[in-house]
Amino acid sequence: MSANSHAMSQLLWQGPMCVGWKRDLEGAVYHLANCLLLLGFMGGSGVYGCFYLFGFLGTGYVCCVMWGWFDACGLDIILWSFLLAMACLLQLAYLIYRLRSNTLPEEFEVLYKTLCLPLQVPLQVYKEIVHCCEEQILTLATEQTYAVEGETPINRLSLLLSGRVRVSQDGQFLHYIFPYQFMDSPEWESLQPSEEGVFQVTLTAETPCSYISWPRKSLHLLLTKERYISHLFSALLGYDISEKLYALNDKLFAKFGLCFDIRLPSLYHVLGPAASDTGPESEKDDEEAREPAIPTSAQQTPPRSPLPASASPPAPPSRARMSRPDSGLLGEDSTSLVLEDFEEVSGSESFMDYRSDGEYMR
């Protein structure tokens, strides 16, 4: 027992002494292998960092195999270096396979960077969304309709990738749909999963367009299954609908050319050129309003001498109702929305008596 412990202590603390040192240095392949190994161990993290790491390590171990074969002439050096080089090459092959499996078509790649990457949506979640639409890109020719008012059923949700789509109702232009906007978000939000309906507007492509489309049932199933995707679509659809509402608000004008907020109370609009609001009955009412009221007691009493003109109070001027302005004066087309007036409030005051909408709200 003591002899074994003595031998172990000699190996650990004293060690074998080198009989003689080689005077010649190792060949250039040995030094190149060590330089490549040094560069490989300086690699970073991530996918491209792993490419850097295993690329330099694999090349370095290949150089070690060549050094063991030509200079060192050691079988153990050749075997170990070969195994390590093969492990690095296999790891590189696995990384290439992962990258190819994660590759998306160019249109979906741009869509991810534009719409989902700013929201920090994981790539795996985005793949589930793309898989729901079967990775198909549909197209529309110029003046081809995506939906017809009162005819096309609401059975899908589409997102425009390129081009421009015109939205109209009863032949009147409403707004445009631009790339990376939903084409039918209001229709999607207006129905429950169990309900059915048709489009209330017509969507026509003004330029060659491309878009992706999710079937209604498949997307509802995905939203029910994945809570994160449901919240994501809720945020995207809400933002898209608000953009469409503000696009309509830009076409809303008052009589004096002022732009009003669509959220103001008692606001209504008229599409197209409007007819005059004054009629025979309104003119008759105005004439009656101009005549001074005669009390009944004045008919029973004898007439008195008329008062001087200076003493008689002047009759209050009647407020004639302003006619609706011609829609051609408010915009280039006849589809500009016109704010006619608001309902009369107490004290014969209306919205037009106030300087601003904030003053009216107060």
Side-chain angles (χ1 to χ4, degrees):
M1 184 68 181
S2 60
N4 293 335
S5 61
H6 181 69
M8 184 65 67
S9 62
Q10 283 185 348
L11 289 174
L12 292 176
W13 302 108
Q14 296 180 0
M17 300 295 294
C18 294
V19 178
W21 293 88
K22 292 178 62 176
R23 295 183 178 181
D24 298 332
L25 299 177
E26 296 294 337
V29 179
Y30 175 79
H31 298 289
L32 178 62
N34 285 278
C35 291
L36 293 174
L37 293 176
L38 176 62
L39 292 175
F41 286 119
M42 294 172 62
S45 60
V47 177
Y48 296 102
C50 291
F51 267 105
Y52 176 89
L53 172 66
F54 292 110
F56 275 102
L57 288 182
T59 308
Y61 288 127
V62 169
C63 292
C64 288
V65 172
M66 296 173 61
W67 169 71
W69 182 271
F70 293 107
D71 294 338
C73 299
L75 183 61
D76 52 350
I77 298 176
I78 296 174
L79 290 179
W80 278 110
S81 299
F82 178 77
L83 291 177
L84 292 174
M86 289 301 299
C88 292
L89 293 178
L90 290 176
Q91 188 67 29
L92 285 175
Y94 175 72
L95 289 174
I96 294 173
Y97 169 75
R98 288 290 303 272
L99 283 179
R100 290 183 61 88
S101 62
N102 292 336
T103 303
L104 294 171
E106 183 180 358
E107 292 82 0
F108 290 100
E109 192 75 26
V110 176
L111 176 61
Y112 175 73
K113 293 179 180 179
T114 304
L115 201 62
C116 296
L117 190 59
L119 299 177
Q120 299 181 355
V121 178
L123 185 60
Q124 193 63 32
V125 175
Y126 177 72
K127 286 184 178 181
E128 294 184 17
I129 299 174
V130 171
H131 180 70
C132 184
C133 69
E134 300 178 355
E135 298 187 11
Q136 292 184 358
I137 299 177
L138 308 176
T139 58
L140 287 174
T142 305
E143 296 301 326
Q144 182 180 355
T145 56
Y146 169 81
V148 179
E149 177 182 352
E151 297 181 7
T152 305
I154 304 173
N155 55 7
R156 54 181 174 173
L157 177 66
S158 300
L159 179 70
L160 186 64
L161 297 179
S162 64
R164 187 176 65 182
V165 175
R166 181 178 68 252
V167 182
S168 60
Q169 185 180 33
D170 295 332
Q172 300 290 340
F173 168 76
L174 296 180
H175 62 88
Y176 285 114
I177 298 176
F178 297 100
Y180 305 110
Q181 290 183 347
F182 288 96
M183 300 173 65
D184 41 13
S185 53
E187 289 78 11
W188 174 270
E189 289 291 333
S190 64
L191 296 179
Q192 296 295 330
S194 58
E195 296 178 349
E196 295 182 357
V198 294
F199 279 82
Q200 301 300 317
V201 293
T202 300
L203 280 70
T204 308
E206 280 207 342
T207 61
C209 302
S210 62
Y211 65 97
I212 58 175
S213 184
W214 292 274
R216 190 162 179 259
K217 293 183 179 179
S218 300
L219 185 56
H220 271 303
L221 183 62
L222 178 63
L223 298 182
T224 305
K225 179 181 177 182
E226 298 292 340
R227 188 177 182 86
Y228 177 82
I229 299 178
S230 177
H231 290 322
L232 175 63
F233 267 84
S234 178
L236 292 175
L237 290 171
Y239 176 78
D240 187 81
I241 293 175
S242 65
E243 287 292 318
K244 289 179 171 60
L245 289 177
Y246 278 109
L248 289 175
N249 190 36
D250 291 339
K251 297 176 66 62
L252 191 60
F253 296 95
K255 294 179 179 180
F256 307 106
L258 301 178
C259 184
F260 286 87
D261 198 334
I262 56 177
R263 296 168 292 183
L264 287 176
S266 304
L267 177 65
Y268 65 96
H269 58 270
V270 179
L271 283 173
S276 176
D277 289 337
T278 59
E281 296 181 357
S282 62
E283 293 177 357
K284 184 177 180 181
D285 294 339
D286 293 342
E287 291 177 358
E288 292 178 356
R290 294 191 186 95
E291 295 179 358
I294 302 176
T296 56
S297 61
Q299 299 176 359
Q300 300 174 0
T301 59
R304 299 178 181 179
S305 60
L307 297 174
S310 60
S312 61
S318 62
R319 295 176 57 187
R321 189 174 182 181
M322 299 178 65
S323 62
R324 189 182 305 167
D326 191 2
S327 62
L329 301 176
L330 297 178
E332 296 180 358
D333 53 0
S334 61
T335 60
S336 299
L337 302 180
V338 180
L339 173 63
E340 182 191 358
D341 56 5
F342 286 79
E343 284 189 28
E344 298 292 323
V345 295
S346 60
S348 299
E349 294 179 353
S350 66
F351 177 81
M352 293 306 174
D353 295 328
Y354 293 89
R355 297 181 180 178
S356 63
D357 54 348
E359 198 172 347
Y360 172 77
M361 296 297 291
R362 288 196 294 272

